[in-house]
Amino acid sequence: MTTNTITLLPSVEAFLATPKQLLINGEWVDAKDGKTFATVNPSTEKVLVQVAQASAMDVDRAVVAARSAFESPSPWSKMSPRDRSHLLWRIGDLIDESAEEFAQLESLDNGKTLESARGDVGVAAELFRYFAGWATKMEGTTIPMSVPGRDFHAYTRREAIGVVAGIVPWNFPLTMAAFKIVPAITAGNTVILKPAEQTPLTALRLGQLLLDAGLPAGVVNVVTGFGDTGAALVEHHGVDKVAFTGSTEVGKKIAAAASGNLKKVSLELGGKAPNIIFADADLDAAIAGAALAGYFNEGQCCVNGSRLYVQRGVFDRVVEGVAAAAKAIKVGDGFAADSTMGPLVSQEQYEKVLGYIRGAVEAGATISAGSADAAGGNGYFVQPTLITSVTEDMAVQTDEIFGPVITAIPFDTEDEVVAAANNTVYGLAAGVWTKDIGTAHRVGARLRAGTVWLNTWHADDVTLPRGGYKQSGWGRELGSFGLEDYTELKTVIAELR
Ligand code: ADP
């Protein structure tokens, strides 16, 4: 499956040559109990490097470091908004300077194609620069008070919350790390980042870059490990906020565990996005868009359009088109120049996705593209799959699969498709394809989802808020809305005597 493999940069080879440690208080340290775990290249199943496995003791050390970096009069608490802004911008530029190194590490660790990883690195750099602008614009308001016979001056201040734990998944390791770190430090918080156990490398590389850029010690700490490391953070009373992206199942555990000290919680969870194609749509664009919606990032993306609904008159044509697009995708080593789709991230994910495809076949569905068969050989490769003759009660239709699997169901009327599209516990994203502007905006408004795409999919910007309705999450990330989630609002009342 591998051809034209790209040569590793010397800096990547050097990074992979030594076991990776935890970043606590500006220093690289081993886990207190000396435990490590292996991170694996999903294209080859070979171990890339050993990584420190943080226990509750290490989490505690990181919380102490983050707390002392936060509390006034620490250097971080005294840094002016303008200096924070300049620092954020500098970090964005430093990421760009090391972009290829980050992209190679990401592709090796996650499996995604190098080209796709390059795109992710660009987003991370841009995120630092976008939020650099906000650091100097966290404004309050003055509010009139009416107390007879007395004079007051009342105003609000946006202040940092304190110590933020960012817990992230493996599908966009570097950008997800940036999603948590950037708004948190823009607002003056300190951070403990817990990368996913499958993909810790770019977060660790970012940790070094932050130190190189001059971020004070303890402002961002990186603790690598499994779910128990994340759980230790969520339970810790020294943590003031948890920002989590991951499965709805773990999101519910986090919401429950956070209640000990009532820490703030923001959650970006699962999805099962409906993608609706009306008969009057630009079908070429809709077909290409449906394939992108379902197969982008190996289908491992919470906003992927995995449930395709097509108006009956054009159903066969759309299915044929999406099947052809699926077959044209070249699945292979993420590092091979001709791959347009890499492997899934792990053995576990590979077995889960194949299990869903097999289950659909057993339940009577039809495979219109792809296969339920194991690829054979090394690597967690799954062909992009399109499933038809699906019913709403099949697991492949109800569950978030997180793999390159699209189901297609025909519909007749707008009311029928809106009801079907909204018939899910999730509400992260949805899409509509039609040339009728009225239909587009009306149906867009009727869909219960945090993001609605009209005649496009995956179009995005760091300026736009994102998040979920229903069991897809709490709160919004990015844009000005995302920044507010990392602040407390203080009301100050002064009597003018
Ligand atoms: P996925 O299903 O995409 O692997 P998960 O929700 O399992 O996503 O994991 C996302 C992140 O949450 C990972 O960093 C993982 O280690 C962490 N995690 C898993 N279980 C817990 C838990 N109980 N508490 C806190 N973090 C957890």
Side-chain angles (χ1 to χ4, degrees):
M1 275 203 168
T2 310
T3 51
N4 306 329
T5 301
I6 293 150
T7 312
L8 282 186
L9 289 171
S11 55
V12 171
E13 291 208 29
F15 184 86
L16 295 175
T18 54
K20 299 294 110 193
Q21 296 174 295
L22 312 172
L23 177 58
I24 298 179
N25 206 22
E27 288 175 1
W28 293 102
V29 295
D30 291 328
K32 273 225 155 130
D33 61 11
K35 276 199 185 163
T36 64
F37 65 99
T39 187
V40 169
N41 178 347
S43 293
T44 61
E45 300 183 39
K46 289 204 178 109
V47 172
L48 288 163
V49 66
Q50 289 289 324
V51 180
Q53 184 177 333
S55 70
M57 289 183 289
D58 304 302
V59 163
D60 194 54
R61 276 199 288 177
V63 173
V64 169
R67 173 64 54 197
S68 84
F70 174 74
E71 293 294 348
S72 167
S74 67
W76 180 241
S77 69
K78 288 195 290 187
M79 190 182 282
S80 71
R82 184 166 64 194
D83 286 348
R84 271 206 318 270
S85 171
H86 289 187
L87 180 56
L88 286 161
W89 194 281
R90 187 155 69 245
I91 294 166
D93 286 351
L94 286 176
I95 293 175
D96 277 345
E97 281 170 27
S98 299
E100 195 59 16
E101 186 186 339
F102 275 106
Q104 288 200 355
L105 284 172
E106 197 79 307
S107 173
L108 289 172
D109 209 12
N110 166 280
K112 65 177 67 195
T113 64
L114 201 51
E115 193 189 334
S116 182
R118 286 182 185 124
D120 293 359
V121 176
V123 172
E126 211 44 56
L127 201 65
F128 278 93
R129 283 189 288 259
Y130 168 73
F131 275 100
W134 277 115
T136 50
K137 295 166 194 70
M138 289 175 42
E139 298 166 350
T141 46
T142 56
I143 304 172
M145 287 177 66
S146 307
V147 182
R150 293 165 71 186
D151 270 351
F152 290 93
H153 170 52
Y155 61 96
T156 59
R157 285 168 51 82
R158 285 261 164 217
E159 295 183 354
I161 297 173
V163 175
V164 174
I167 302 176
V168 295
W170 43 259
N171 55 345
F172 297 92
L174 179 67
T175 36
M176 286 296 122
F179 269 39
K180 306 304 180 213
I181 292 172
V182 183
I185 64 175
T186 300
N189 299 280
T190 57
V191 178
I192 303 155
L193 180 76
K194 211 298 275 174
E197 54 271 32
Q198 297 88 346
T199 55
L201 297 184
T202 47
L204 292 167
R205 179 65 188 84
L206 179 64
Q208 183 59 49
L209 184 145
L210 297 177
L211 295 182
D212 296 346
L215 194 72
V219 173
V220 172
N221 306 273
V222 185
V223 292
T224 42
F226 292 78
D228 59 328
T229 309
L233 274 168
V234 179
E235 280 154 21
H236 203 297
H237 285 210
V239 172
D240 301 302
K241 173 185 165 85
V242 176
F244 172 77
T245 299
S247 61
T248 293
E249 185 194 347
V250 173
K252 287 180 183 176
K253 286 187 196 166
I254 287 176
S259 66
N261 66 332
L262 282 180
K263 51 176 68 68
K264 315 276 183 264
V265 178
S266 53
L267 303 169
E268 216 262 58
L269 307 176
K272 187 75 180 173
N275 185 14
I276 302 169
I277 301 181
F278 283 91
D280 68 351
D282 172 343
L283 290 184
D284 289 341
I287 288 165
L292 176 75
Y295 301 140
F296 172 64
N297 209 48
E298 295 75 36
Q300 303 169 132
C301 182
C302 45
V303 292
N304 269 14
S306 48
R307 290 186 294 143
L308 183 59
Y309 290 100
V310 187
Q311 209 159 21
R312 201 171 300 277
V314 297
F315 184 77
D316 290 345
R317 182 168 158 208
V318 169
V319 164
E320 205 175 288
V322 176
K327 286 170 192 159
I329 291 171
K330 170 89 178 69
V331 180
D333 189 321
F335 237 64
D338 59 351
S339 298
T340 53
M341 182 185 279
L344 301 190
V345 75
S346 64
Q347 175 90 35
E348 186 189 350
Q349 199 60 21
Y350 171 77
E351 282 167 8
K352 180 182 154 198
V353 172
L354 284 186
Y356 272 110
I357 302 172
R358 286 190 195 121
V361 174
E362 279 159 22
T366 306
I367 307 264
S368 297
S371 164
D373 299 332
N378 289 337
Y380 312 125
F381 299 102
V382 172
Q383 292 298 320
T385 298
L386 177 64
I387 305 182
T388 51
S389 308
V390 177
T391 53
E392 291 287 351
D393 57 347
M394 288 182 189
V396 76
Q397 182 70 4
T398 56
D399 297 4
E400 181 178 46
I401 297 175
F402 233 60
V405 181
I406 299 175
T407 55
I409 292 185
F411 72 90
D412 293 299
T413 67
E414 180 183 312
D415 283 349
E416 172 200 340
V417 77
V418 167
N422 286 335
N423 183 23
T424 168
V425 297
Y426 298 113
L428 202 55
V432 183
W433 299 81
T434 173
K435 281 188 185 151
D436 184 317
I437 193 170
T439 306
H441 290 289
R442 189 176 58 248
V443 175
R446 295 178 71 187
L447 294 170
R448 306 287 298 157
T451 295
V452 170
W453 280 295
L454 305 178
N455 294 318
T456 187
W457 203 286
H458 286 312
D460 225 332
D461 201 332
V462 295
T463 56
L464 302 174
R466 65 180 78 189
Y469 285 27
K470 300 194 265 183
Q471 293 186 33
S472 287
W474 287 349
R476 292 292 177 270
E477 292 199 285
L478 307 192
S480 57
F481 303 93
L483 187 60
E484 281 181 11
D485 252 15
Y486 287 86
T487 64
E488 293 279 20
L489 187 64
K490 178 180 281 177
T491 305
V492 183
I493 304 142
E495 183 145 16
L496 308 180
R497 295 177 185 278

